[in-house]
Amino acid sequence: MHLPTVVILALVINLIVGFYLYLLYRRKPKDRCFRLWSFSSISFVLGGTLVALRPYDITAFFTFFVADCLLLLAPILVLAGLIQFSRFRYTRRRRQHAFVLLALIVIALLSVYHHPGILSVLVALAIGITFYLCAVLLQKSVITEPTFTRTLQGIFLLHALTMFTQVMLILWQWQSLDMNGLPESSVYTLLSHILLTTFTALLLPWLCFLKLERKLTLKSQRDGLTKLANREHFFNLVERYWQQQRPLPAVLMMIDIDFFKKINDKFGHAVGDSAIKAVAQLLSKQLRCNDIIGRIGGEEYAALLIDLDEATALKISQRLCEQVEKQLQFVADAKVELTISIGLVYVDTSQHDYVSALKAADEALYSSKRAGRNTVTLGAVGL
């Protein structure tokens, strides 16, 4: 294997990938990660080129300090782009801390660039830690495709391990370092570093495509007005819950806004839409995060409350009615005095099928309507 040929080929591939990523950024300027990753590839190419010029009569400031800063900047830009896909909150204070830390690293590299061995240790450590942070950040990614995220996370960890191995080789063979501050045996770690960097650059764009796919999937599953699960997705979730091996007992709840047609007729459809959104927000706040809530009709909602007994479910339902009546007297500056009616059934998933449970909860809702509305009715599922 001719190492210079491999290095040149890797640098050319990274340059092409960087250009491709920049074209993607120009096509989708909102995805700033493409720009960061494009600069990351270009930074790696420039740094690698300067490293290749070390045997020539060029000042060490460029071939060592500037070159290693560019090589370190490449994974830092990868890390910055990954923040867009994580649940990590990059606050202003954290941004300031990051810039201070980066400035300290640059000052440290500047102070030792005349000592190639020390410089190589610091840069390898910094790159290894950065790729480890990339793997940690990817662990908190909003992308839920496990095969891809684990593969990319594994590459980041391998990259970190490669850099830490290089540090150990430098320290172990300190007396036999070459002009680059590296032992002869580190050629394989350098080759691994180049190949892993190239592979990372090729894989990163898939994160954006997976994010777009996730966005489109969520859009197809969510009601556009309330952002709750739409009718189809809610019933799919209920069916999936019933198909679990040992699902917990649950309470199925049907909820309807009282006299909604009168609200539309009197205040207009804009106020009606605001009323639907307001009730959805209240339901989301009052129910638990593991409960399944959906909008299944114009002004009708449904909820599956998991691992709950009848008495607690009745209290929750009554509280919902009270909170709607209390908090939603005014919607969009209109005095609508919203109320809701609720029908619910307690179900044992081992004895009742979900179709019968839905029918029983719907019948209980109509019983609440006939009872004068703004009330709760507990129904029963026929065996």
Side-chain angles (χ1 to χ4, degrees), residues 91 145 154 159 163 170 194 238 246 252 259 292 306 312 324:
T91 61
E145 208 290 315
H159 217 142
M163 291 295 95
I170 294 171
I194 292 170
V238 171
R246 291 185 177 180
L252 193 59
F259 303 111
I292 303 171
I306 299 166
T312 305
V324 169

Side-chain angles (χ1 to χ4, degrees), residues 56-102:
Y56 301 96
D57 189 19
I58 301 175
T59 176
F61 177 80
F62 292 105
T63 57
F64 281 89
F65 172 70
V66 176
D68 283 340
C69 282
L70 288 170
L71 291 176
L72 175 57
L73 183 61
I76 290 175
L77 290 173
V78 170
L79 179 65
L82 287 175
I83 291 175
Q84 178 178 325
F85 302 91
S86 74
R87 296 181 177 87
F88 177 78
R89 294 186 62 190
Y90 193 47
T91 61
R92 184 177 180 181
R93 172 171 287 186
R94 285 174 174 172
R95 191 180 299 113
Q96 291 173 344
H97 290 167
F99 280 122
V100 169
L101 179 60
L102 187 58

Side-chain angles (χ1 to χ4, degrees), residues 226-242:
T226 63
K227 308 307 178 186
L228 298 178
N230 59 27
R231 180 185 180 88
E232 181 181 3
H233 186 50
F234 175 81
F235 288 143
N236 286 339
L237 291 174
V238 171
E239 183 178 4
R240 193 181 306 165
Y241 180 77
W242 247 261

Side-chain angles (χ1 to χ4, degrees), residues 247-267:
L248 297 168
V251 170
L252 193 59
M253 187 182 292
M254 292 290 189
I255 306 163
D256 193 76
I257 299 176
D258 296 328
F259 303 111
F260 184 73
K261 187 177 184 302
K262 291 182 179 179
I263 295 172
N264 270 340
D265 293 342
K266 183 176 181 180
F267 301 103

Side-chain angles (χ1 to χ4, degrees), residues 33 36-41 72-85 130-131 134-135 137 152 156 197 200-201 204 207:
C33 61
L36 292 170
W37 294 339
S38 171
F39 291 164
S40 173
S41 295
L72 175 57
L73 183 61
I76 290 175
L77 290 173
V78 170
L79 179 65
L82 287 175
I83 291 175
Q84 178 178 325
F85 302 91
T130 304
F131 275 114
C134 287
L137 200 61
L152 191 54
F156 288 147
T197 299
T200 301
L204 284 174
L207 280 174

